[in-house]
Amino acid sequence: MSSTYEGFTAEERAAMKDHAQEMKKASRRGSRADKAAEAERDVLAKIAEMGDSDRIMAERVHTVITAGAPALAPKLWYGMPAYALNGKVVCFFKPAEKFKARYATLGFSDQAKLDDGPMWAAEFALTEVTPEVEERIGALVKQALS
């Protein structure tokens, strides 16, 4: 059994380039309020670029998170919409199209307080954002911040 390292995929390399650009752009921004407003504009612009299915879900996820958790600041993270507390990403929306995946996901970093015993989910598959899914997202984000 032989396995050879093939390196990063084109999608992974693109995400790393996105992250480098995000870091550069953030370092050049002015006041804290300017940074927050520009970061949210960047997130909304990235969402607007998405294909229909991802865009519709990302818009709804963005609305649920920003309305239900105003302490979280929208920002781009590896080219994906993310939501941070004190500069550290708590959750993010990973579009299916970006990584040629079967479904989009809502992911949570280790900053999220979703701990539930010795094992818990840190990413959730999304194929549609229904009112029930919005409710679940809201509850997960509140728990993540608790």
Side-chain angles (χ1 to χ4, degrees):
M1 185 169 154
S2 172
S3 72
T4 59
Y5 177 68
E6 298 293 330
F8 294 106
T9 66
E11 294 80 17
E12 291 167 332
R13 284 191 301 277
M16 288 185 282
K17 285 179 184 177
D18 286 342
H19 187 59
Q21 290 299 325
E22 293 156 12
M23 299 295 285
K24 259 189 214 176
K25 195 173 185 179
S27 71
R28 290 188 213 134
R29 290 190 171 144
S31 72
R32 188 178 209 172
D34 289 343
K35 286 180 183 185
E38 286 184 48
E40 182 156 21
R41 280 194 296 273
D42 291 346
V43 166
L44 293 173
K46 185 59 77 173
I47 290 170
E49 293 173 4
M50 294 177 187
D52 289 345
S53 177
D54 285 335
R55 188 187 73 256
I56 290 165
M57 288 189 289
E59 287 170 347
R60 292 184 72 187
V61 167
H62 178 78
T63 299
V64 169
I65 293 173
T66 55
L72 292 178
K75 67 183 271 178
L76 288 178
W77 186 62
Y78 293 93
M80 298 176 287
Y83 304 87
L85 182 64
N86 300 322
K88 295 185 178 182
V89 171
V90 173
C91 59
F92 57 92
F93 177 83
K94 187 188 310 179
E97 188 177 351
K98 183 172 182 76
F99 293 99
K100 297 182 176 126
R102 189 168 63 104
Y103 46 78
T105 62
L106 175 65
F108 291 86
S109 74
D110 62 338
Q111 299 298 309
K113 297 177 178 119
L114 298 179
D115 306 38
D116 185 20
M119 184 174 139
W120 58 90
E123 264 191 80
F124 297 84
L126 294 170
T127 58
E128 183 181 8
V129 179
T130 64
E132 294 80 19
V133 170
E134 287 180 355
E135 205 172 294
R136 178 76 172 126
I137 291 169
L140 283 166
V141 170
K142 282 183 183 169
Q143 182 182 347
L145 296 175
S146 65

